Amino acid sequence: MPYVFFLVICFIWGSSFILMKKATLWLSPISVGCWRVVAGGLVLLALFWLWRQRAHVRRADWFPLLGCIVLGFAWPYCLQPEIIARHGSAFVGMTVGFTPLLTVLFSIPMLGILPTTRQTVGVIGALVCLGLLMWDGVQREIPWTDVLLAFSVPATYALTNNWIRRSLMHVPPLELTLVCLLGSGLLLLPLAMAVPNTRPVVADQWAWSLAAVITLGVLGTGLSTCLFMHLVQTQGPLFAGMVTNLVPIGAILWGWADHEQVTLLQVSAVLGIVAMVSLVQFGSARPRVRPVDEDALAEISEPVIAPQPQLACCPEDC
């Protein structure tokens, strides 16, 4: 199942960038970021209530949760639609592919985990291919400020993935994703209401824009992020983070279908990325460990006192 979840997330997130592009035809970029997390959060809230889940978040978890909300959700979801509106969906989709390399770098001081030789070769190889993609973007005269802003997204993603692995492993993926989405929605909602839309609006595209942001929220933000949290907790941040190495494929294909520029260099680099991801991921999934039933464990741990045999009374003793 980890590989099935991996491929499902790749497909959904690879399609998210073109959905953001279509949503910004009528909505402001910050409104797109706001309503996608609100829609995703409401879906997960309904699932949390229907499945009658109990809360696992403790008071000590609020600080790492706040970091995840701000860095891993509010910042990228607010920034990505703006960069996409300026330079297209394919460019931003390429930048998130740097998440695995940054995940490896952050995991060394945060988790004390050193990557294996195979993982190192695969991540570095993917970095070279992604560097070619970025060079292609720079050749199209994208400002360096926007390049750096786009690069901040995989940096915050990598930091958040390791932070979850270090401090929030006891929180189930559904509850963790729900709290992060609702928290980021509370941060972005006042901004979406206060910041005016300075971009031209295509009035006749309002229905497509609303459909795009709803799909983006329910699938691209709610359900897929919950699956991603599950992979982070059960398979580790590097395994889960390699999803973002395949996201550029979907972004480029959707961009090409939407008449964005796609070059031979981009196609060659993407094929190299697929090869590197296969190298890192093959055989790296770990079987899921069944959680321990604490009540059953308590019963097993209780000392068992064997009943003492009752001695029969002999006639001679009477």
Side-chain angles (χ1 to χ4, degrees):
M1 287 304 291
Y3 293 110
V4 175
F5 292 160
F6 184 90
L7 294 175
V8 169
I9 297 170
C10 287
F11 175 77
I12 295 176
W13 283 0
S15 306
S16 295
F17 300 95
I18 192 65
L19 291 174
M20 283 186 271
K21 180 179 179 180
K22 297 303 180 183
T24 53
L25 293 176
W26 188 68
L27 297 168
S28 67
I30 193 170
S31 295
V32 173
C34 171
W35 293 117
R36 69 177 292 191
V37 297
V38 170
L42 291 177
V43 170
L44 296 188
L45 181 61
L47 294 177
F48 190 84
W49 180 78
L50 288 173
W51 293 344
R52 301 188 181 278
Q53 301 291 298
R54 65 184 183 89
H56 294 77
V57 174
R58 304 172 303 205
R59 181 179 298 179
D61 298 330
W62 285 112
F63 178 74
L65 275 174
L66 180 61
C68 292
I69 290 171
V70 174
L71 297 178
F73 287 80
W75 173 253
Y77 290 161
C78 178
L79 179 64
Q80 281 183 332
E82 177 64 34
I83 303 299
I84 287 173
R86 296 180 190 177
H87 306 293
S89 57
F91 169 74
V92 179
M94 297 173 198
T95 61
V96 298
F98 284 88
T99 303
L101 173 70
L102 298 175
T103 299
V104 171
L105 295 179
F106 288 153
S107 67
I108 296 174
M110 294 182 66
L111 303 178
I113 297 176
L114 296 176
T116 64
T117 302
R118 180 165 59 90
Q119 289 174 334
T120 303
V121 171
V123 170
I124 293 177
L127 174 64
V128 173
C129 298
L130 288 165
L132 295 175
L133 289 177
M134 293 303 301
W135 175 252
D136 182 80
V138 172
Q139 293 299 305
R140 286 183 281 166
E141 299 182 352
I142 297 175
W144 277 106
T145 53
D146 288 353
V147 172
L148 293 176
L149 285 174
F151 263 97
S152 71
V153 172
T156 55
Y157 280 161
L159 180 61
T160 302
N161 293 343
N162 283 289
W163 209 337
I164 291 171
R165 185 71 173 179
R166 188 181 70 175
S167 304
L168 297 170
M169 286 291 294
H170 60 283
V171 182
L174 176 60
E175 181 182 356
L176 178 59
T177 311
L178 171 62
V179 173
C180 289
L181 289 180
L182 293 182
S184 57
L186 291 176
L187 290 178
L188 295 180
L189 188 58
L191 292 176
M193 299 176 63
V195 177
N197 187 8
T198 58
R199 303 190 60 83
V201 175
V202 184
D204 61 348
Q205 295 294 316
W206 66 270
W208 284 107
S209 294
L210 289 180
V213 79
I214 291 173
T215 304
L216 185 65
V218 174
L219 295 180
T221 306
L223 299 179
S224 61
T225 305
C226 186
L227 291 179
F228 182 80
M229 295 290 194
H230 173 79
L231 289 184
V232 170
Q233 292 184 335
T234 59
Q235 304 298 324
L238 180 58
F239 182 96
M242 289 298 287
V243 167
T244 56
N245 265 158
L246 295 182
V247 164
I249 298 176
I252 290 175
L253 291 176
W254 280 112
W256 173 75
D258 200 46
H259 307 293
E260 294 182 14
Q261 181 183 0
V262 177
T263 65
L264 179 61
L265 178 62
Q266 291 176 333
V267 175
S268 301
V270 166
L271 293 177
I273 291 171
V274 174
M276 293 300 102
V277 171
S278 301
L279 178 65
V280 173
Q281 297 292 60
F282 181 74
S284 60
R286 299 191 295 266
R288 183 179 179 183
V289 179
R290 185 177 180 180
V292 178
D293 188 336
E294 295 181 357
D295 296 334
L297 182 63
E299 293 178 3
I300 296 175
S301 301
E302 291 179 357
V304 178
I305 301 177
Q308 297 297 322
Q310 298 294 327
L311 298 178
C313 182
C314 297
E316 293 84 358
D317 297 334
C318 296

